[in-house]
Amino acid sequence: MKHSLCTAVAALLCVVTLPTLAKDQGAGNHLVLNLVGSGDMYQSTVPDIDGDGMEDDAICFDVQLMDAHNRRHIGTATDCLSNVTPVGTGVALVGTTYFHLPQGTLVTRGNTSVQPVLHNTMTPSGQAITHITGAAGTGNAILWGSGRFAGAMGTVRLSGMVDMTSFGGNPGDPIAFDCLFVIDLY
């Protein structure tokens, strides 16, 4: 009886613990990723946006990637901005974001709005914020993936804050990011 009770408890622990461990290691279908930190601008290209079959110009920034659930560093992200167009007091752009994770790379794209903040805004870590960013859609927003993300499809929502105080649009100019991406794979 004592042996079978121990076996039952051990089996129950495996059933509860293994899915939790798999989820913590990036095996879930709901990802909440946080781009945090400052990145210096550099010129690059991104996969075709306008349908002409050619890569498009972009300005890109490399930043840390954190798991928003547990605040652990889990990789890096490259955020690339294309088709930057002033609209009123804000900016419309196409954002292509590369998430470099231990399980593979996931590349997403969205039409992004950027607006100046209306109230003094700071991140929880004390970073002053000058602009709020956002993007969302109901269709597939994943361009491609590798490793675990090969062939992935899903929706992506961006809710972000950036500090553009030192950004003048020149290579090497920084933008500080604190952006949340909610990715639902299907």
Side-chain angles (χ1 to χ4, degrees), residues 1-168:
M1 176 72 177
K2 187 175 182 183
H3 177 55
S4 62
L5 179 61
C6 288
T7 303
V9 169
L12 181 60
L13 285 174
C14 286
V15 169
V16 172
T17 305
L18 288 178
T20 302
L21 288 174
K23 181 180 176 199
D24 288 344
Q25 294 174 356
N29 287 331
H30 179 77
L31 306 170
V32 182
L33 304 174
N34 192 190
L35 278 69
V36 179
S38 184
D40 295 337
M41 184 195 107
Y42 61 93
Q43 301 284 338
S44 191
T45 58
V46 294
D48 183 32
I49 296 170
D50 55 14
D52 66 1
M54 306 283 291
E55 290 188 333
D56 290 293
D57 291 334
I59 58 173
C60 299
F61 305 84
D62 295 327
V63 294
Q64 291 185 80
L65 186 58
M66 309 294 280
D67 182 329
H69 295 293
N70 59 25
R71 306 295 305 148
R72 290 186 187 159
H73 180 261
I74 56 171
T76 61
T78 301
D79 201 26
C80 294
L81 315 176
S82 304
N83 299 357
V84 179
T85 307
V87 178
T89 60
V91 175
L93 59 88
V94 176
T96 305
T97 307
Y98 299 77
F99 299 97
H100 307 288
L101 299 156
Q103 305 84 10
T105 297
L106 182 65
V107 183
T108 67
R109 176 168 289 155
N111 293 325
T112 304
S113 298
V114 181
Q115 288 290 133
V117 296
L118 300 176
H119 298 281
N120 289 334
T121 305
M122 290 216 162
T123 67
S125 65
Q127 172 72 52
I129 296 300
T130 62
H131 291 76
I132 302 295
T133 66
T138 57
N140 179 42
I142 297 175
L143 294 182
W144 61 269
S146 68
R148 165 176 128 55
F149 305 108
M153 296 177 67
T155 60
V156 179
R157 174 183 166 197
L158 159 65
S159 297
M161 302 183 290
V162 294
D163 176 13
M164 297 175 50
T165 302
S166 299
F167 183 72

